């Protein structure tokens, strides 16, 4: 049985007959604010004196707290410091274009006035106030799009909602009744009482059928035709795609994507989670995602009094300060014309301009391989009058185009310095994987061809760029690539997994290129550092050495001689097969 897929690529949205492109505002924004706020902010990660592991808003599920007990938290909810004007202003200061707030999370509590269920913030709390009215007003006044998160499947309060089987027997649940009694009527409330809604951000489609998800989508579009539907409605029915939380893809993605991410390690407020990501991490992550065609939805979790933690505020303002100078390279920007990352930083595109985002100070004589289009000028984005001399040539042995830039006198401003490269036409690049000027080669899944010795491959490259269903030794990945500087290379195969789930290792793999073959068992020889590594560890296995002794085009193949699979490695979101990330070739010492 295939695992739940919440990141399946979706069909492209076509502009309506009137020419309206529903995703245009969302693509322009690139950066949004997520707000997780609910009853879970009251215990704040502690239940009966014990710190509860995992994310704060899942406490009811983790501790199997009865509905009768958990619902009493509502009597304590009275956020004296709720300030919607300040929150919307913070989002604007951070350079964000939209806000997504939890109207109903998995706990089943409506954070707005709901006539459908008395279990809501107005009828069940001493506050007796609808915060969504305030937020809608402020978003209109300050010019941001308001969007609502709504948990359409998991609802631990409703007898027919998914995943509360400690109060309600699983075999007696009736999902259709739950949709009819709660989901569809509450969506009607959200889409008719607060003005235009930019998006309904659905989440975690675990038990609903495709027909049920389609019913939900039709209901939204009937009430507000231009309201977006997030990818987590499931079954490929969203208006854009969503990978798992905090996921950063290995390369450029196809279609429209959004990554939702935490500022520390929780979504809902936890009083003891102080592992805040740095402003540098947030800025480089925003650049990384933009370069790959994905929006960045970054979360804050106000406490039970409505206060946004100070570390969240300071970091968001730091991102906003950087965007004031460099926002043109992110807002409305398209992904890099190259399918892969660069060791020095990332590239974004806007029309005939490429933006080089340097994560560290570039070398004085910088080179880029593979850009075919003629360059007109090169200047620092923060200093438009500061231009740099450049030269475009071709390597003799391979005819690969080379852009050489003289960065003498360039000023690197942390954390990311942006250089604007204006072109004579839309950018065109070499389509193959290329050896970089530092002589390294990196092979990622999205640039591979999938082959098989069977009639049809079972393995595939998922929409998020990782392999899916690699559970046999017939299937393989293959790349064509160009070497410009021959020599001996150390080979590392990198696999990954979601950090809270088992790693699928112990597979016997073979790397083949130019008549050479390296065979190894995947094991933890080392962790590869990088932005992805915190939530999706990059586990390196050293395979040995390949010698590529001529400049030119080669083929590299990765296949499995034997797969070590176990049933216990299967999880809700993984089929237990090997998740390939990349192969790295680095010059041997």
């Amino acid at each position: 049985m295939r695992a739940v897929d919440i990141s399946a690529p979706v069909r492209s949205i076509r502009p309506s007959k009137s020419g309206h492109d529903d995703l245009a505002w969302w693509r322009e924004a690139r950066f949004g604010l997520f707000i997780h706020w609910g009853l879970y902010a009251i215990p704040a990660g502690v239940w009966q004196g014990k710190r509860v592991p995992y994310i704060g808003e899942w406490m009811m599920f983790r501790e199997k707290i009865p509905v009768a007990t958990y619902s009493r938290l509502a009597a304590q909810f009275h956020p004296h410091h709720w300030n919607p004007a300040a929150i919307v202003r913070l989002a604007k200061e951070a350079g964000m274009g939209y806000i997504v707030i939890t109207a109903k999370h998995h706990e089943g509590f409506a954070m707005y006035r709901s006539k459908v269920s008395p279990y809501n913030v107005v009828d069940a709390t001493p506050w007796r106030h609808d915060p969504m009215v305030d937020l809608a007003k402020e978003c209109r006044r300050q010019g941001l799009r308001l969007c609502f998160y709504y948990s359409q499947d998991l609802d631990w309060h409703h007898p027919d909602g998914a995943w509360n089987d400690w109060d309600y027997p699983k075999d007696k649940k009736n999902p259709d009744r739950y949709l009819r009694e709660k989901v569809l009527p509450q969506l009607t409330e959200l889409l008719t009482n607060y003005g235009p809604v930019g998006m309904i951000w659905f989440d975690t489609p675990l038990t609903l059928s495709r027909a049920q998800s389609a019913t939900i989508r039709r209901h939204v579009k009937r009430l507000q035709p231009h309201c977006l539907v997030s990818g987590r409605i499931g079954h490929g029915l969203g208006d854009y795609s969503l990978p798992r939380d905090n996921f950063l893809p290995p390369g450029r993605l196809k279609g429209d994507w959004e990554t939702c991410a935490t500022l520390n390690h929780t979504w809902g407020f936890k009083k003891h989670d102080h592992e805040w990501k740095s402003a540098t991490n947030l800025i480089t992550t925003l650049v990384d995602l933009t370069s790959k065609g994905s929006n960045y939805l970054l979360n804050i979790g106000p406490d039970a009094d409505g206060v946004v933690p100070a570390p969240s505020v300071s970091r968001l303002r730091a991102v906003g300060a950087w965007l004031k100078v460099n926002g043109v390279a992110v807002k409305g920007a398209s992904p890099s014309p190259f399918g892969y990352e660069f060791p020095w930083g990332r590239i974004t595109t806007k029309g005939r301009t490429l933006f080089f985002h340097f994560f560290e100070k570039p070398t004085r004589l910088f080179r880029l391989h593979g850009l075919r289009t003629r360059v007109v000028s090169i200047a620092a984005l923060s200093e438009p009058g500061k231009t740099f001399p450049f030269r475009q040539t071709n390597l003799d042995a391979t005819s690969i185009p080379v852009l050489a830039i003289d960065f003498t006198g360039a000023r690197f401003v942390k954390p990311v310095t942006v250089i604007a490269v204006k072109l004579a036409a839309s950018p065109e690049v070499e389509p193959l994987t290329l050896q970089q000027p530092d002589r390294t080669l990196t092979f990622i899944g999205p640039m591979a061809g999938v082959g098989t010795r069977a009639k049809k491959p079972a393995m595939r490259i998922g929409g998020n760029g990782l392999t899916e269903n690699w559970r046999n030794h017939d299937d393989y990945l293959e790349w064509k690539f160009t070497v410009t500087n021959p020599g001996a290379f150390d080979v590392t195969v990198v696999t990954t997994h979601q950090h809270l789930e088992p790693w699928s290792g112990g597979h016997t793999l073979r790397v083949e290129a130019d008549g050479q073959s390296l065979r190894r068992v995947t094991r933890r020889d080392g962790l590869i550092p990088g932005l992805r590594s915190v939530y999706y560890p990059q586990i390196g296995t050293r395979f040995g050495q390949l010698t590529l002794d001529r400049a030119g085009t080669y083929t590299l193949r990765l296949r499995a001689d034997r797969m070590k699979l176990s049933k216990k490695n299967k999880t809700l979101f993984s089929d237990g097969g090997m998740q390939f990330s990349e192969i790295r070739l680095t010059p041997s010492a």
Side-chain angles (χ1 to χ4, degrees):
M1 181 176 178
R2 191 180 175 203
V4 171
D5 182 3
I6 59 172
S7 63
V10 298
R11 51 174 176 66
S12 298
I13 294 187
R14 296 182 177 88
S16 63
K17 292 181 180 179
S18 64
H20 190 276
D21 182 356
D22 292 341
L23 277 168
W25 68 264
W26 180 86
R27 294 191 193 103
E28 178 64 28
R30 282 298 176 210
F31 193 26
L33 180 67
F34 217 170
I35 304 174
H36 274 69
W37 198 35
L39 297 182
Y40 41 80
I42 297 170
V46 178
W47 188 254
Q48 296 180 341
K50 181 185 73 173
R51 289 186 177 184
V52 178
Y54 199 50
I55 46 185
E57 70 282 0
W58 276 70
M59 175 180 288
M60 183 181 178
F61 179 83
R62 292 282 301 198
E63 296 299 298
K64 303 295 185 284
I65 303 171
V67 165
T69 302
Y70 190 87
S71 60
R72 287 199 290 268
L73 290 172
Q76 304 175 43
F77 193 75
H78 199 304
H80 297 282
H81 291 92
W82 164 248
N83 189 336
I87 287 178
V88 177
R89 187 165 57 248
L90 175 62
K92 285 199 71 173
E93 290 173 350
M96 294 164 161
Y98 58 107
I99 291 176
V100 181
I101 185 168
T102 48
K104 189 202 78 165
H105 206 274
H106 307 328
E107 64 183 4
F109 185 74
M111 286 294 291
Y112 69 97
R113 181 193 294 273
S114 175
K115 294 182 180 179
V116 174
S117 168
Y119 193 51
N120 70 76
V121 71
V122 176
D123 296 321
T125 77
W127 193 31
R128 302 190 65 80
H129 186 76
D130 185 341
M132 302 307 170
V133 170
D134 309 328
L135 207 58
K137 178 181 177 182
E138 283 300 327
C139 282
R140 285 193 297 270
R141 189 175 71 84
Q142 299 191 45
L144 269 68
R145 298 262 181 169
L146 176 63
C147 310
F148 291 125
Y149 170 110
Y150 188 88
S151 177
Q152 81 279 21
D153 193 359
L154 300 189
D155 189 315
W156 306 321
H157 185 267
H158 194 282
D160 296 316
W163 279 32
N164 180 346
D165 53 11
W166 59 94
D167 278 307
Y168 310 116
K170 186 177 180 180
D171 59 356
K172 294 185 179 180
K173 290 182 181 291
N174 184 337
D176 283 330
R177 183 170 56 198
Y178 162 62
L179 294 184
R180 185 174 63 252
E181 289 183 351
K182 190 170 187 180
V183 174
L184 298 180
Q186 285 196 331
L187 288 173
T188 298
E189 293 175 331
L190 292 170
L191 290 164
T192 57
N193 293 338
Y194 301 95
V197 176
M199 175 201 316
I200 299 292
W201 208 98
F202 293 111
D203 193 16
T204 320
L206 301 177
T207 68
L208 298 181
S209 68
R210 190 181 195 282
Q212 290 165 333
S213 294
T215 296
I216 294 171
R217 176 185 170 87
R218 284 194 302 271
H219 188 74
V220 171
K221 296 296 184 178
R222 184 168 58 249
L223 293 169
Q224 290 203 28
H226 300 305
C227 179
L228 297 178
V229 170
S230 83
R232 291 193 186 174
I233 194 172
H235 306 284
L237 294 173
D239 292 330
Y240 63 88
S241 298
L242 273 158
R244 297 185 64 183
D245 299 348
N246 287 295
F247 179 80
L248 304 180
R252 187 183 62 212
L253 299 170
K254 294 180 180 179
D256 294 293
W257 288 74
E258 178 186 64
T259 287
C260 59
T262 52
L263 258 168
N264 47 0
H265 296 306
T266 184
W267 302 91
F269 178 72
K270 286 180 74 172
K271 64 181 70 176
H272 51 272
D273 184 348
H274 304 298
E275 293 188 51
W276 303 99
K277 295 167 186 172
S278 68
T280 295
N281 175 281
L282 302 178
I283 292 167
T284 51
T285 299
L286 174 60
V287 169
D288 176 79
L289 289 170
T290 304
S291 77
K292 295 168 182 175
S294 178
N295 278 24
Y296 189 24
L297 184 61
L298 185 59
N299 182 74
I300 59 171
D303 67 17
D305 209 21
V307 176
V308 179
S312 298
V313 175
S314 62
R315 282 156 176 78
L316 290 180
R317 285 176 175 163
V319 178
W322 183 86
L323 281 171
K324 281 184 179 179
V325 177
N326 303 285
V328 68
V330 173
K331 300 284 185 174
S334 299
S336 170
F338 295 91
Y340 43 83
E341 301 174 349
F342 293 94
W344 48 266
R346 302 291 184 268
I347 295 176
T348 60
T349 309
K350 186 171 283 185
R352 295 183 177 183
T353 301
L354 296 179
F355 296 101
F356 291 9
H357 299 254
F358 287 97
F359 293 172
E360 55 189 30
K361 186 174 182 178
T363 56
R364 186 177 67 84
L365 296 176
F366 172 82
R367 291 189 305 156
L368 175 75
H369 290 172
L371 177 62
R372 293 173 173 174
T373 314
R374 182 172 66 86
V375 174
V376 175
S377 66
I378 299 177
L381 193 59
S382 59
E383 303 175 89
K386 179 69 173 177
T387 60
F388 303 100
F390 62 91
R391 184 184 179 197
Q392 287 180 280
T393 57
N394 290 84
L395 294 173
D396 292 338
T398 59
S399 296
I400 293 297
V402 178
L403 170 64
I405 308 173
D406 185 350
F407 279 129
T408 300
R411 187 167 66 95
F412 176 71
V413 182
K414 293 183 178 180
V416 178
T417 293
V418 184
I419 302 296
V421 179
K422 292 188 177 181
L423 308 176
S426 298
E428 292 186 11
V429 302
E430 292 290 324
L432 301 183
T433 297
L434 300 179
Q435 187 178 23
Q436 299 302 315
D438 64 359
R439 297 183 59 208
T440 62
L441 283 147
T442 302
F443 304 89
I444 60 174
M447 295 191 70
V450 178
T452 186
R453 293 177 291 191
K455 290 184 178 180
K456 184 180 179 181
M459 181 260 287
R460 59 193 164 267
I461 303 296
N464 61 6
L466 299 180
T467 52
E468 296 178 353
N469 203 42
W470 198 344
R471 300 176 57 82
N472 66 62
H473 58 267
D474 290 323
D475 300 339
Y476 57 84
L477 297 177
E478 190 170 86
W479 296 262
K480 286 191 178 299
F481 65 101
T482 300
V483 170
T484 57
N485 198 331
F489 298 86
D490 296 325
V491 180
T492 301
V493 174
V494 183
T495 55
T496 189
H497 66 110
Q498 207 276 348
H499 70 120
L500 296 175
E501 297 171 357
W503 172 62
S504 180
H507 311 296
T508 304
L509 305 182
R510 189 180 297 272
V511 175
E512 300 170 327
D514 199 36
Q516 302 163 74
S517 181
L518 303 175
R519 185 175 184 266
R520 293 289 185 275
V521 175
T522 54
R523 60 187 184 186
R524 297 177 183 269
D525 287 339
L527 292 177
I528 310 296
L531 288 173
R532 297 194 293 276
S533 299
V534 175
Y535 296 103
Y536 293 84
Q538 305 295 293
I539 300 166
T541 302
R542 293 187 289 270
F543 267 59
Q545 191 178 91
L546 286 176
T547 299
L548 305 173
D549 56 9
R550 61 176 175 81
T553 300
Y554 293 80
T555 298
L556 181 141
R557 178 177 291 186
L558 176 68
R559 61 183 178 89
D561 283 356
R562 185 178 67 87
M563 303 296 286
K564 182 182 179 183
L565 302 170
S566 62
K567 292 183 179 179
K568 68 178 182 180
N569 275 354
K570 291 187 177 182
T571 69
L572 195 62
F573 298 101
S574 170
D575 52 31
M578 180 176 64
Q579 287 190 298
F580 167 80
S581 182
E582 61 189 36
I583 299 175
R584 295 189 172 197
L585 269 60
T586 55
S588 300

